[in-house]
Amino acid sequence: KAGVTQTPRYLIKTRGQQVTLSCSPISGHRSVSWYQQTPGQGLQFLFEYFSETQRNKGNFPGRFSGRQFSNSRSEMNVSTLELGDSALYLCASSQRLIGTGSTDTQYFGPGTRLTVL
Amino acid sequence: QKEVEQNSGPLSVPEGAIASLNCTYSDRGSQSFFWYRQYSGKSPELIMSIYSNGDKEDGRFTAQLNKASQYVSLLIRDSQPSDSATYLCAVNMGRSYNTDKLIFGTGTRLQVFP
């Protein structure tokens, strides 16, 4: 089974621009979460989506947004980029099911390295 | 107080020794706990998940959970140089049942020397 895929792998933007990152979960996985990883702050939770609905949100400003499509693929968007947004953005998926048998083990994609100049 | 705390290390152990990694968490209602390993420049990979008090063993790895003390640990037996990486403790603090919100510690860097 193919793992979590993220595109693009590397991105360079300038301050003030916006960026959209894409994530395709493992086949059959319905929950997608996004994380930001920086040397100073470590791995921080951004948000979680399930069935096209955001269910959990981290402590990030409104410039960070996301969405999920009916095929469980997800995108995150960062508007008005700042230098501090330079980071590795990781997507993870889990096989959340409706009702019993759900598992919350998350598997990570390779990440998108965003550099803001 | 941070939600999930780990010693940043580095923790240095000789090859063949037992490495012991510790983690504490703040949310007493948390039910799911994970250990991930991250090599430099790579994404985190799952080592163990644990949900019940006690020990869970998988090969050279043993996870231990004590919910009363809000404490999770990972033991690596017969440590190998290839185990040298950063080990991340994660706790699911989703705001309701059956949702995902992994909160990570800052990670412990493990160095295994020959």
Side-chain angles (χ1 to χ4, degrees), chain A residues 37 55 94 96 102 104 106, chain B residues 32 36 51 95 98 100:
Chain A
Q37 187 171 32
R55 302 194 303 181
S94 68
R96 282 297 193 183
S102 185
D104 62 351
Q106 292 192 26
Chain B
S32 307
Y36 285 85
Y51 302 91
R95 63 189 174 103
N98 215 22
D100 294 333

Side-chain angles (χ1 to χ4, degrees), chain B residues 17-50:
Chain B
I18 295 176
S20 177
L21 306 163
N22 305 312
C23 171
T24 58
Y25 60 95
S26 62
D27 184 357
R28 193 170 280 279
S30 298
Q31 298 294 323
S32 307
F33 308 86
F34 306 87
W35 283 99
Y36 285 85
R37 177 174 62 195
Q38 187 173 29
Y39 292 109
S40 181
K42 301 292 187 182
S43 61
E45 59 175 320
L46 180 74
I47 297 176
M48 297 275 285
S49 61
I50 187 165

Side-chain angles (χ1 to χ4, degrees), chain B residues 1-8 20-27 30 32-36 50 63-67 69-75 87-93 103-108:
Chain B
Q1 180 193 7
K2 291 185 179 179
E3 293 178 288
V4 179
E5 296 208 54
Q6 296 179 254
N7 288 326
S8 59
S20 177
L21 306 163
N22 305 312
C23 171
T24 58
Y25 60 95
S26 62
D27 184 357
S30 298
S32 307
F33 308 86
F34 306 87
W35 283 99
Y36 285 85
I50 187 165
Q64 299 173 317
L65 173 61
N66 184 326
K67 290 184 181 179
S69 301
Q70 295 173 244
Y71 177 88
V72 192
S73 67
L74 179 71
L75 299 178
Y87 289 79
L88 299 162
C89 172
V91 180
N92 191 347
M93 296 185 180
I103 302 300
F104 283 83
T106 52
T108 298

